[in-house]
Amino acid sequence: MVALVADYMIRYKKLKIGTQRREGLNPYRIGLSILLNRLLWDLAPMSWFHRRHLSALKNKYTNQKAVICCNGPSLVDTDFSLLDDVYTFGLNKINLLFQEHQFRPSSIISVNPLVLEQNAHFFSTTDIPLFLDQAARKFGVKTTRNTTFLHSCDYPHFARDVSVSLFQGYTVTYVALQLAYHMGFRKVALIGCDHNYEETGFPNSAALSSGSSANHSSENYFKEGEPWQYPDLESSEFYYYIARRYFEDDGRSIVNASVSGNLEVFPYLSLE
């Protein structure tokens, strides 16, 4: 396991070469930016309420199972009846499935600014418990009783306690894994995590959607002309390995129960 993480660390470093806009690295600027970002959140009175709520969720579901519902195309082939008695995390625009399926996740997580803005109306009106990045407030998402705000920090890490901050790890799935660990889940399964995109482009760069895509569980996941970001699959894999190591070091496990896809970081286990 250590060798796998080391291999991905080398690939991660190579991937990042040439992607920085600045010629030099100023640790004071980076540190000040992280500190200022956190300070501004702490100065908001609501931040303490959300921090207390997250603290109350720490290990609330110890030794239980959870399923993280990603938004890959294979999600629509899932037998949702198998999830009736399991805690489920929905991600981002999983609500697009609601017109065709009766399944409703136990909670929904979203941290990407583009998704937060595009799905603001749903996030502001649903009764489903939400875990949203605190930046959602900038995009018109209303603060409701069922909303818990998360604070994201740019320092790469796996937060076993997310009540203060967490790292996004280039994918909302990594955020979900940190939250699942924080809440105490012993076994976590991923579904709809296809880890495969038809469109290719510079990782994390923005582009405009063509309006029809086979990358997600809904063809209209990003409407025509809506901005979206090209995935960073290699960086995502690197942080998946980090999450796997933390889970396994604590006697926990993550499995891939997706019907299909290219994700090989986690062992496969059918939901059935």
Side-chain angles (χ1 to χ4, degrees):
M1 187 64 195
V2 174
L4 288 173
V5 173
D7 176 65
Y8 266 79
M9 176 64 83
I10 294 174
R11 294 173 61 186
Y12 174 76
K13 289 181 178 179
K14 289 181 178 178
L15 185 67
K16 292 302 173 183
I17 294 176
T19 64
Q20 307 298 328
R21 294 182 179 180
R22 297 177 182 269
E23 294 183 358
L25 178 64
N26 187 331
Y28 294 103
R29 179 182 61 82
I30 296 173
L32 183 60
S33 175
I34 293 175
L35 179 61
L36 181 60
N37 177 275
R38 179 68 216 187
L39 182 61
L40 290 175
W41 174 234
D42 283 341
L43 290 175
M46 70 169 61
S47 68
W48 296 97
F49 168 81
H50 294 284
R51 183 172 177 177
R52 285 195 301 270
H53 184 238
L54 287 169
S55 294
L57 290 174
K58 178 69 172 173
N59 294 324
K60 181 177 179 180
Y61 298 90
T62 299
N63 295 325
Q64 296 187 36
K65 299 178 181 179
V67 174
I68 297 174
C69 306
C70 306
N71 290 297
S74 68
L75 183 64
V76 298
D77 298 322
T78 300
D79 182 357
F80 290 106
S81 66
L82 299 173
L83 306 178
D84 289 344
D85 299 320
V86 181
Y87 189 102
T88 52
F89 295 96
L91 305 183
N92 289 334
K93 297 183 182 180
I94 193 171
N95 52 291
L96 296 179
L97 291 179
F98 292 175
Q99 292 183 349
E100 301 177 3
H101 298 273
Q102 294 183 346
F103 166 74
R104 297 294 185 271
S106 307
S107 62
I108 298 176
I109 305 171
S110 186
V111 295
N112 183 280
L114 297 178
V115 175
L116 290 171
E117 183 174 16
Q118 293 161 10
N119 214 26
H121 175 72
F122 170 77
F123 290 146
S124 298
T125 55
T126 182
D127 293 328
I128 298 174
L130 303 173
F131 295 97
L132 307 178
D133 188 90
Q134 55 89 16
R137 298 173 298 148
K138 302 177 182 178
F139 304 114
V141 176
K142 297 179 181 179
T143 303
T144 58
R145 285 188 173 184
N146 58 302
T147 302
T148 301
F149 287 126
L150 305 168
H151 180 268
S152 299
C153 178
D154 288 336
Y155 183 79
H157 67 301
F158 182 87
R160 290 169 290 175
D161 184 332
V162 304
S163 62
V164 178
S165 295
L166 52 76
F167 179 63
Q168 294 188 11
Y170 300 91
T171 169
V172 66
T173 307
Y174 188 69
V175 175
L177 289 170
Q178 293 172 84
L179 190 57
Y181 189 103
H182 171 91
M183 294 168 68
F185 291 104
R186 178 65 53 181
K187 297 181 179 180
V188 177
L190 305 181
I191 61 174
C193 195
D194 293 41
H195 200 61
N196 180 45
Y197 285 76
E198 289 188 348
E199 290 91 345
T200 58
F202 195 82
N204 304 305
S205 63
L208 297 181
S209 172
S210 62
S212 179
S213 172
N215 296 326
H216 296 92
S217 52
S218 171
E219 291 185 358
N220 296 316
Y221 196 84
F222 290 107
K223 299 177 182 178
E224 183 176 1
E226 280 189 335
W228 73 295
Q229 289 176 295
Y230 287 110
D232 192 339
L233 297 181
E234 288 204 24
S235 294
S236 297
E237 283 190 19
F238 171 77
Y239 285 104
Y240 285 158
Y241 273 108
I242 296 294
R244 176 178 173 177
R245 180 175 180 180
Y246 273 99
F247 267 75
E248 292 182 350
D249 284 351
D250 193 39
R252 312 190 198 189
S253 63
I254 306 171
V255 298
N256 178 19
S258 302
V259 176
S260 60
N262 296 335
L263 182 63
E264 299 180 350
V265 175
F266 308 109
Y268 177 79
L269 182 66
S270 173
L271 281 179
E272 299 178 357

